[in-house]
Amino acid sequence: MLKQSRQTRTRFHQICDGALFALSLVGAYLLRDGLARVDALGLSPLEPFVELVWVLPLVAVLGPVFLGAQRFYAGQRPSGFAAARAAAFTALAVVIILFLVRAQVARSVILLGCAAGGAFAYARSVFAARLASTRLAREQWRERVLWVGDPDANKRRRASLSAQEMSHIADVGDFDPRSEPPARLAELLHKHAVNTAIFDSAGTAQLAPYVDCCTREGVAVIICTGLAPLSASLDSAAHLDSLGGEMVVHFRAHKAGPSALALKRATDVLFSAAALVLLSPVFALAALTIKLTSRGPVLFRQTRAGLNGRPFEMVKFRTMRAGAENEQDALADKNEMRGPVFKMGDDPRVTPAGRFFRRHAIDELPQLWNVLRGEMSLVGPRPLPLYEVRRFDDDAHRRRQSMRPGLTCLWQTSGRNDIDDFAEWVRLDLAYIDHWSPWLDARIVLATIPVVISGRGGR
């Protein structure tokens, strides 16, 4: 597994564990405060919660730091003893800091909160380990890798990978550039929804057309150098990394670093889980409305192109009459969008309730489940049906799939269906990818709210 990929995964787990430590401290305070209100126990009342607030970020940082020091994130199998030791060190460090700053916080709250934080971090790691072996992980989370070069050299490199590295890779096969043209490589990238192409630098003297084929479509490129790993740091599109004990040059498909991607994923999990709970009354009302106003299922499911074109089943509230997909060919001449995408302003297949749902993006809410599963993100290029992706007349448009598709994007906030040229849609998506940052995601989310409330550009 590439060092940068390991860092992204570790940062995500650290963010989750930090949140668990902070929430455990809040829970410990509430439990202790509740017990203090029981007169029979004779416990002294606690200080106001506001005096504990500054300790929350402290344990959120110290918890993962001590977990890392105990090599909690180093192996595939979580260690309960490492979690317990980290919890004890965290509690001790917090108590010492409280003593030094002369802060009055109940030690019982600190001890109970840190103990619970360590227990929850261990439970999270066990759950993550089991989740990694599921079908969802195999199909959506593993890096789909195509080996480009001499098949014998590729075989040797596969054998050099550790079991941990192999567990994060979905091997889709070999491609020999000495006997196949770049067009054939493009076909394999599309067929297997490849995330990363690993090139053997000794396999051919003319790699440029093949590397360009990958980078044009947003597929990450790794060039094996045959050298042992070096201690180096490059802040550019190319990064030195190590794979199977060998130094490689890694050309990422975008500039987002491991820590930033981990933060993006952690934000997706937190907000999608919270939104699914908080918006459950809206879900129930929308489902009831669909059932009462039209025949057919409440949810519409369609296979769409995810990361690098990887197929996944996207869910949304049904806004058209049942069987509407079979009627699209008859409406092809009514398409108002230039390019491979079908958009029609006054689509006769849309139900009255569906028109309202579409205008205010209510039909998209079930995709929060796709976000929680890791198939989508809160912000990212909108996923397209597979048959529209197959109609792309410019392979460079596939680079919009180099980041996970999202619930909202620049297209949503810049006019939605008022944009009638797919090339402009792609331009906005590529601008998002090339300038991505957590702050850009936050601005897009905030800009989406007035757009969906007003229904601007919705059809």
Side-chain angles (χ1 to χ4, degrees), residues 137-408:
R138 291 193 299 271
E139 293 182 352
Q140 297 296 334
W141 297 353
R142 292 185 181 179
E143 194 88 357
R144 294 196 180 187
V145 170
L146 178 68
W147 300 80
V148 182
D150 176 60
D152 291 334
N154 292 339
K155 184 177 180 180
R156 289 194 298 271
R157 285 198 167 86
R158 283 189 182 93
S160 70
L161 298 180
S162 66
Q164 185 177 9
E165 287 176 319
M166 287 298 297
S167 68
H168 296 289
I169 286 177
D171 193 332
V172 301
D174 294 272
F175 174 83
D176 192 343
R178 298 172 302 182
S179 57
E180 299 279 4
R184 175 56 182 160
L185 175 60
E187 292 177 8
L188 292 177
L189 297 181
H190 305 165
K191 178 181 178 181
H192 298 293
V194 173
N195 302 120
T196 302
I198 300 180
F199 283 76
D200 175 17
S201 61
T204 176
Q206 297 179 341
L207 288 176
Y210 301 92
V211 173
D212 182 63
C213 176
C214 296
T215 56
R216 187 172 63 250
E217 299 194 17
V219 175
V221 171
I222 293 175
I223 299 180
C224 298
T225 64
L227 300 174
L230 301 176
S231 177
S233 176
L234 298 177
D235 186 17
S236 63
H239 298 262
L240 294 181
D241 211 323
S242 60
L243 180 70
E246 175 185 354
M247 190 188 80
V248 298
V249 181
H250 184 196
F251 293 89
R252 291 203 302 252
H254 42 71
K255 296 180 180 179
S259 297
L261 289 176
L263 177 61
K264 181 176 176 66
R265 179 61 187 143
T267 303
D268 287 341
V269 172
L270 176 63
F271 278 88
S272 61
L276 284 169
V277 174
L278 296 175
L279 295 176
S280 55
V282 178
F283 278 72
L285 182 59
L288 181 62
T289 302
I290 294 171
K291 271 298 182 185
L292 293 177
T293 58
S294 63
R295 295 181 179 179
V298 169
L299 295 177
F300 172 71
R301 303 173 185 272
Q302 187 179 53
T303 302
R304 299 237 173 164
L307 183 63
N308 291 117
R310 182 177 305 187
F312 74 99
E313 187 179 68
M314 191 192 76
V315 292
K316 60 190 300 186
F317 284 125
R318 181 174 58 83
T319 58
M320 293 185 175
R321 56 179 175 247
E325 278 190 294
N326 300 326
E327 304 175 34
Q328 184 165 313
D329 290 343
L331 300 171
D333 60 336
K334 304 289 181 62
N335 187 14
E336 299 174 5
M337 175 74 77
R338 293 193 296 275
V341 178
F342 181 87
K343 296 289 182 183
M344 183 177 175
D346 191 18
D347 197 322
R349 300 172 296 169
V350 179
T351 64
R355 202 168 301 281
F356 176 82
F357 286 175
R358 286 183 163 216
R359 185 175 301 115
H360 299 284
I362 296 173
D363 59 319
E364 312 289 357
L365 291 180
Q367 289 159 44
L368 288 165
W369 176 243
N370 293 116
V371 175
L372 188 62
R373 285 168 56 90
E375 297 158 334
M376 293 178 62
S377 179
L378 291 175
V379 183
R382 288 294 296 160
L384 297 177
L386 293 181
Y387 61 84
E388 292 184 347
V389 173
R390 296 190 189 104
R391 291 205 294 257
F392 282 4
D393 55 7
D394 185 349
D395 283 344
H397 288 173
R398 293 178 180 270
R399 192 164 73 86
R400 69 183 296 276
Q401 299 173 160
S402 62
M403 292 191 79
R404 278 189 176 85
L407 273 174
T408 185

Side-chain angles (χ1 to χ4, degrees), residues 58-76:
L58 182 63
V59 296
V61 172
L62 290 178
V65 166
F66 283 115
L67 285 170
Q70 297 298 317
R71 300 187 58 78
F72 185 74
Y73 304 107
Q76 287 182 295

